[in-house]
Amino acid sequence: MKIKDWYRENKRYFSLSELNFIFKSFAQGKNCLLDKNEVEKLDKIKADKFKGVPLALSLGREEFFGFTFKVNKNTLIPRPETELLTEAAQELISKNSLKKILDLCCGCGNIGISLDKLITADLKIYLADLSSESLALAGENAVNLGSKVKIVNSDLFSGFKEDSFDLIISNPPYVESKNIKGSLAYEPKLALDGGKDGLNLIEKIIVQAYRYLEDRGFLMMEFGYGQKKRVENIIYKNGQYIIKTWIKDYSNIWRGVILQKNNA
Ligand SMILES: C[S@@+](CC[C@H](N)C(=O)[O-])C[C@H]1O[C@@H](n2cnc3c(N)ncnc32)[C@H](O)[C@@H]1O
């Protein structure tokens, strides 16, 4: 079967961007012949789509900042809004000549590895996660993308003793437990579940990060829709940081914050 014939038969099931993404994995050229194995793979992707399986999981990869990250059922699929957090970090690192960076709750390593690839200065980037499966994947992604990040198995900061960082960046689990349903059910609960109000991990990170930051160091975090006010309350209650910037996502919704350790 030719790619263009599969395309003609199945294009109504996918968006144009999904089709482009799918065909990147297969032989190039519209007249290219698919072997039996490839047709079976494409049909499985279609069957997965009907079941609601995210396309990235069917293909085993996702694009983030133009880099291809391997993903699987043990880790969160990188989301476009996290690119905006990463972009803000890129700017912050360059402007303030930050050197030692921790990507906490790293998943497949998309934030830390992208920063390492995007910034030419010599950085020391650590990736930490509680899930050993995620760390294995982050390790594979680092090798595939030629990045020399350090990988640490850590329950929040438990894997770090005396370390202090210029920047701690985190996209922690922040979904309210009751909202983990639909297509989210295909991703690990550990990566999503922020407890009853979604803010368990965010609050812990705000409290604990202070000890692991250099003087005037930065903490950046992503949070969920409608959580800004409550995140702000946690920051004020904690009282150890200055709020530098709030970050919006592509839908103009507040989804991230940059804090600076207040040494005053
Ligand atoms: C929302 S995912 C983020 C993954 C990735 N950084 C991204 O932006 O796509 C959250 C990650 O936090 C990890 N995690 C959950 N609880 C943790 C904990 N107590 N300590 C460290 N990592 C944790 C999960 O395993 C998961 O990889």
Side-chain angles (χ1 to χ4, degrees), residues 10-255:
N10 296 289
K11 68 178 184 199
R12 64 186 180 281
Y13 304 122
F14 298 94
S15 69
L16 197 58
S17 67
E18 285 176 330
L19 284 165
N20 283 333
F21 190 43
I22 293 169
F23 285 121
K24 265 197 186 172
S25 301
F26 291 84
Q28 303 297 309
K30 281 192 178 154
N31 284 317
C32 176
L33 273 180
L34 295 165
D35 63 27
K36 187 168 162 274
N37 199 8
E38 286 176 316
V39 175
E40 276 171 16
K41 268 195 206 156
L42 282 166
D43 288 341
K44 162 100 173 41
I45 289 167
K46 185 172 69 176
D48 280 353
K49 165 101 184 178
F50 292 150
K51 282 191 247 161
V53 179
L55 186 58
L57 277 189
S58 302
L59 292 171
R61 66 188 175 82
E62 182 58 295
E63 302 285 313
F64 186 82
F65 244 118
F67 303 112
T68 302
F69 285 86
K70 197 169 163 185
V71 296
N72 62 30
K73 64 179 174 36
N74 299 312
T75 189
L76 190 94
I77 301 161
R79 305 292 206 270
E81 57 268 25
T82 308
E83 288 182 341
L84 294 177
L85 186 84
T86 310
E87 195 174 31
Q90 185 187 5
E91 202 183 308
L92 189 78
I93 292 166
S94 303
K95 235 191 208 160
N96 295 280
S97 305
L98 308 179
K99 294 276 174 253
K100 194 168 170 186
I101 291 137
L102 169 61
D103 172 6
L104 183 65
C105 301
C106 68
C108 71
N110 48 315
I111 298 176
I113 295 171
S114 299
L115 288 173
D116 189 41
K117 299 298 295 175
L118 291 163
I119 297 170
T120 48
D122 202 13
L123 304 180
K124 261 196 187 158
I125 300 191
Y126 293 74
L127 306 184
D129 204 287
L130 177 59
S131 151
S132 41
E133 290 95 344
S134 286
L135 291 174
L137 203 53
E140 258 188 78
N141 282 323
V143 171
N144 292 344
L145 291 164
S147 165
K148 290 209 166 59
V149 289
K150 294 179 181 50
I151 292 182
V152 182
N153 198 321
S154 183
D155 182 355
L156 293 184
F157 295 95
S158 69
F160 301 93
K161 292 206 165 73
E162 302 305 323
D163 288 277
S164 50
F165 300 93
D166 298 318
L167 168 64
I168 297 170
I169 181 166
S170 184
N171 176 18
Y174 54 67
V175 181
E176 292 174 27
S177 309
K178 66 173 180 348
N179 291 338
I180 301 175
K181 53 192 173 197
S183 64
L184 286 183
Y186 286 100
E187 293 176 275
K189 204 161 178 267
L190 183 68
L192 298 165
D193 196 352
K196 195 160 179 266
D197 66 355
L199 299 171
N200 277 2
L201 270 282
I202 288 186
E203 180 152 21
K204 283 187 186 164
I205 292 171
I206 290 173
V207 172
Q208 294 177 26
Y210 189 85
R211 200 187 126 199
Y212 297 92
L213 283 171
E214 287 289 346
D215 289 353
R216 302 273 161 197
F218 296 92
L219 170 62
M220 295 183 69
M221 278 180 307
E222 184 173 307
F223 53 79
Y225 289 98
Q227 293 179 341
K228 177 177 183 264
K229 191 71 216 156
R230 283 176 293 148
V231 171
E232 200 170 5
N233 288 341
I234 295 171
I235 298 163
Y236 286 140
K237 189 175 93 186
N238 176 273
Q240 304 188 100
Y241 303 90
I242 298 162
I243 298 173
K244 297 297 287 182
T245 319
W246 293 96
I247 300 165
K248 282 184 170 173
D249 66 11
Y250 291 107
S251 314
N252 221 19
I253 292 171
W254 297 114
R255 295 298 301 283

